[in-house]
Amino acid sequence: MYTAGRTAELTGVPRETLRKWEQRYGVVQPTRSEGNYRLYDDEAVRRLAAMRDLVDSGWSPRDAARHVLDEPATATVAGLEAPGGSPHEELDELAAAGEDFDVVRVEDLLDKAFAEADLATTVDEWLLPSLVRLGEAWQRGAVSVAGEHFVSAAVVRRISHAFQQLPHAPAGAPRVMVGLVRGSRHELGVLAFALVMRSRGMDVAYLGADLPVEAWVDTARTLQPAAVVLSAPTVEDLPAVREAAQAIAPHAPVFLGGAQQHRVDGAEPLGHRIGEAAAELAARLGDGG
Amino acid sequence: MYTAGRTAELTGVPRETLRKWEQRYGVVQPTRSEGNYRLYDDEAVRRLAAMRDLVDSGWSPRDAARHVLDEPATATVAGLEAPGGSPHEELDELAAAGEDFDVVRVEDLLDKAFAEADLATTVDEWLLPSLVRLGEAWQRGAVSVAGEHFVSAAVVRRISHAFQQLPHAPAGAPRVMVGLVRGSRHELGVLAFALVMRSRGMDVAYLGADLPVEAWVDTARTLQPAAVVLSAPTVEDLPAVREAAQAIAPHAPVFLGGAQQHRVDGAEPLGHRIGEAAAELAARLGDGG
DNA sequence: CAACGGTGGACAAACTGTGGACAAGCCCAA
DNA sequence: TTGGGCTTGTCCACAGTTTGTCCACCGTTG
């Protein structure tokens, strides 16, 4: 349950507007605390965010509200849409190897994939889809928590390995800061992004997960990077990401990945194809603008 | 059991606030000493730390309390380390390179270190002491949060890289499960441990951080490993580690690393020299005992 | 005795609710 | 084009709520 202020942060809709939307259209009916404070649940946040998206894209608030109310309540699943209805019967190779805890097979699969010529394509076409299918398999109980952890750990190791093997950026290469804000821990995406960036000759400073805003600002001021790349994987990350983006903006251009990337002002969204986005950004910076 | 002042230290929450959180939300119900002093146990400390993390990241205290009470499973965020106490005046090479965000220098230092003949010695004599000094430098403000993150990320990458480069274990090699329990996130130590174990020919299944107890038990039952290695880095981790150790024990021998390793019954402490401990355990398992 | 802890109350600062005001934008008839 | 009416986001004043910190007074510990 979230208070009014927090809900405003999460959805990007001002408190007052939130109240008006409730009074005028009844998009949400928050319960009340003892002290008569509004308490919004996850479903309310989802609806408000959906309505905000519609309004932003030109719908009239009244229509947007009607549309949101007509939609059945959806259980949000980490920002990922359910696949087009085809229940994958056979397990992904990677997931199967993970469920057997077969170190050799998992690492062989990853080795083979990373031997491909184009890193960006490998990441977008094979690695990330495989991980999405792994997540789906885990959700429907086809893969255990431990199996999922086992594969994820192997993937992170493999990306780190690839990152390490790449030659260092030449002197004078554009510098890019990559990492996650405080509270955020989904390293896989940013790590893959950092990998592709380095493969394109960028000077990547990878700062890891859970870094406070002040640290981002101080470092950006010191390093004067050509770009700062963050990720907004979940709604919960939004307040911290917004705060960071705003604070960093005066010192360096901010780019954003992750499912919630379009919900942050002042940061340029990079899209959802990590490898492609990294390659593009690298080309742009390498060309001097 | 901890007194009010000690608990305030451990959790970073002032004594008075601790009391208010107890009175207002009932997050904890410390037992009392003869003289009516509050006595907090490990679980209380864990909850308070979890609540503090939520509040720090923007939750209202009331919501945070409800969350902590609803879901004792909630993962905690940053841990608290006890400082060593010896103030090294000159900065460590690694720390200095980290403060300048000098990718090349940090990776060169790590490369050189890992080129040493004996991996276990490198880990114990250079890597971990360097990281301890880095932590000290950070605590006395000589290194920024970002600098510390930067170096840590590079170290994790380098260990992953080394792990990846090692040949796979031969068929029939003793299998060892390595990882962290639910709520625990200090991967560095267990990762280094896994690295040395693999270098000694063990079949290491690295399961990563934040794995729930049930997953450990199920997996141990399936894999029948020769050993399960966990870590208890902070006080906050103790309850979960104790639970896991007790649950896994019937299926496989449990070994323990980390600062709090001696405070868990039913798990054999491995000592604080990670590389040495891993080499020893490997020798022991390899000899069939 | 000094340091520490418990209790209850006080308090300021931040947050929230309510109802209404209001300006800007839009639609539509004149 | 003009003007009235409607919609919609924002702002405001006033009152109530929540929350971290401070304090005085007294008991406990070593």
Side-chain angles (χ1 to χ4, degrees):
Chain A
M1 301 293 259
Y2 312 97
T3 57
R6 177 129 183 97
T7 306
E9 274 189 288
L10 289 174
T11 58
V13 179
R15 242 161 33 87
E16 283 100 341
T17 307
L18 236 38
R19 189 143 37 80
K20 293 304 181 188
W21 283 4
E22 172 192 337
Q23 292 166 352
R24 289 173 180 162
Y25 322 116
V27 243
V28 286
Q29 281 164 286
T31 54
R32 297 300 184 112
S33 73
E34 279 183 35
N36 200 31
Y37 279 24
R38 287 178 175 77
L39 295 175
Y40 301 84
D41 58 14
D42 288 320
E43 171 62 15
V45 170
R46 193 198 62 79
R47 282 198 209 177
L48 291 166
M51 171 149 172
R52 199 203 80 132
D53 280 348
L54 290 176
V55 171
D56 279 355
S57 61
W59 288 49
S60 88
R62 172 143 279 137
D63 292 341
R66 196 175 2 241
H67 193 261
V68 168
L69 283 172
D70 282 350
E71 296 245 325
T74 337
T76 50
V77 180
L80 290 171
E81 291 296 322
S86 63
H88 294 257
E89 269 316 318
E90 82 288 349
L91 266 182
D92 198 85
E93 258 191 309
L94 199 55
E99 203 44 25
D100 297 341
F101 296 93
D102 189 334
V103 184
V104 178
R105 188 139 62 100
V106 169
E107 294 188 357
D108 273 357
L109 283 168
L110 291 169
D111 280 347
K112 246 178 251 166
F114 276 81
E116 294 284 324
D118 186 18
L119 200 52
T121 310
T122 305
V123 166
D124 287 331
E125 298 297 332
W126 185 81
L127 185 64
L128 296 178
S130 289
L131 291 174
V132 168
R133 283 197 296 278
L134 178 67
E136 287 166 5
W138 170 70
Q139 279 189 339
R140 63 174 196 270
V143 165
S144 66
V145 197
E148 194 270 348
H149 264 62
F150 178 76
V151 174
S152 296
V155 170
V156 167
R157 277 203 311 272
R158 195 57 185 72
I159 296 181
S160 298
H161 175 67
F163 188 88
Q164 209 62 33
Q165 276 195 322
L166 290 171
H168 295 139
R175 169 167 272 177
V176 181
M177 283 167 56
V178 182
L180 294 169
V181 295
R182 186 187 62 204
S184 201
R185 299 198 176 273
H186 300 75
E187 281 198 71
L188 227 146
V190 280
L191 203 50
F193 190 91
L195 169 64
V196 177
M197 286 299 274
R198 186 186 249 195
S199 81
R200 300 290 158 139
M202 300 292 106
D203 179 8
V204 180
Y206 182 70
L207 298 185
D210 199 25
L211 193 67
V213 175
E214 317 82 57
W216 277 104
V217 176
D218 290 347
T219 312
R221 201 155 35 200
T222 309
L223 292 185
Q224 307 253 351
V228 173
V229 179
L230 307 175
S231 175
T234 74
V235 181
E236 305 253 323
D237 297 316
L238 281 175
V241 173
R242 290 204 178 105
E243 190 190 345
Q246 200 173 359
I248 300 170
H251 307 287
V254 180
F255 297 83
L256 207 58
Q260 309 295 324
Q261 58 183 268
H262 295 283
R263 298 240 169 92
V264 178
D265 292 333
E268 187 170 333
L270 287 163
H272 298 283
R273 295 179 60 83
I274 291 181
E276 222 168 68
E280 269 180 37
L281 181 59
R284 212 163 120 186
L285 297 177
D287 293 355
Chain B
M1 301 294 258
Y2 315 97
T3 59
R6 178 88 186 117
T7 306
E9 272 188 79
L10 287 172
T11 58
V13 179
R15 255 173 6 99
E16 281 101 340
T17 306
L18 236 38
R19 189 143 37 80
K20 292 303 182 189
W21 283 4
E22 172 191 337
Q23 293 166 351
R24 289 174 180 162
Y25 322 117
V27 241
V28 287
Q29 282 163 286
T31 55
R32 298 301 182 111
S33 72
E34 280 183 30
N36 199 30
Y37 277 24
R38 286 178 175 76
L39 294 175
Y40 300 84
D41 59 13
D42 288 322
E43 170 62 14
V45 170
R46 193 196 64 77
R47 281 198 208 179
L48 291 166
M51 171 148 173
R52 182 213 52 199
D53 284 337
L54 290 175
V55 171
D56 278 354
S57 61
W59 289 53
S60 88
R62 173 145 279 138
D63 294 340
R66 191 177 6 237
H67 196 260
V68 168
L69 284 173
D70 276 357
E71 194 147 4
T74 312
T76 62
V77 190
L80 305 157
E81 291 296 334
S86 62
H88 291 254
E89 268 317 317
E90 85 286 352
L91 264 182
D92 198 83
E93 257 191 310
L94 199 55
E99 202 45 22
D100 298 341
F101 297 93
D102 189 334
V103 184
V104 178
R105 190 140 63 101
V106 168
E107 293 188 356
D108 273 358
L109 284 169
L110 291 169
D111 280 347
K112 246 177 251 168
F114 276 79
E116 294 285 322
D118 185 19
L119 200 50
T121 310
T122 305
V123 167
D124 287 331
E125 298 297 332
W126 186 80
L127 184 65
L128 297 178
S130 289
L131 291 174
V132 168
R133 283 196 295 278
L134 178 67
E136 285 166 6
W138 169 71
Q139 279 189 340
R140 65 173 194 268
V143 165
S144 66
V145 197
E148 194 270 348
H149 264 64
F150 178 75
V151 173
S152 296
V155 170
V156 167
R157 278 203 310 273
R158 195 58 187 70
I159 296 181
S160 299
H161 176 67
F163 188 89
Q164 211 64 31
Q165 276 195 321
L166 290 171
H168 295 139
R175 170 168 270 179
V176 180
M177 283 167 56
V178 182
L180 294 169
V181 294
R182 184 185 60 205
S184 199
R185 297 193 179 275
H186 297 75
E187 281 199 72
L188 227 148
V190 280
L191 203 52
F193 190 91
L195 168 64
V196 177
M197 287 299 274
R198 187 187 246 194
S199 81
R200 299 291 158 139
M202 300 293 104
D203 178 6
V204 180
Y206 183 69
L207 298 185
D210 200 26
L211 194 66
V213 174
E214 316 81 57
W216 277 104
V217 176
D218 289 348
T219 313
R221 202 155 36 204
T222 310
L223 293 186
Q224 305 253 352
V228 173
V229 178
L230 306 175
S231 175
T234 76
V235 182
E236 296 172 30
D237 299 316
L238 280 174
V241 173
R242 290 201 177 111
E243 189 190 346
Q246 200 173 0
I248 300 170
H251 307 286
V254 179
F255 296 84
L256 205 59
Q260 309 294 325
Q261 59 183 268
H262 293 284
R263 302 179 59 188
V264 178
D265 293 333
E268 186 171 333
L270 286 163
H272 298 284
R273 295 178 60 83
I274 291 182
E276 220 168 70
E280 268 180 38
L281 181 58
R284 212 164 119 185
L285 297 177
D287 292 353

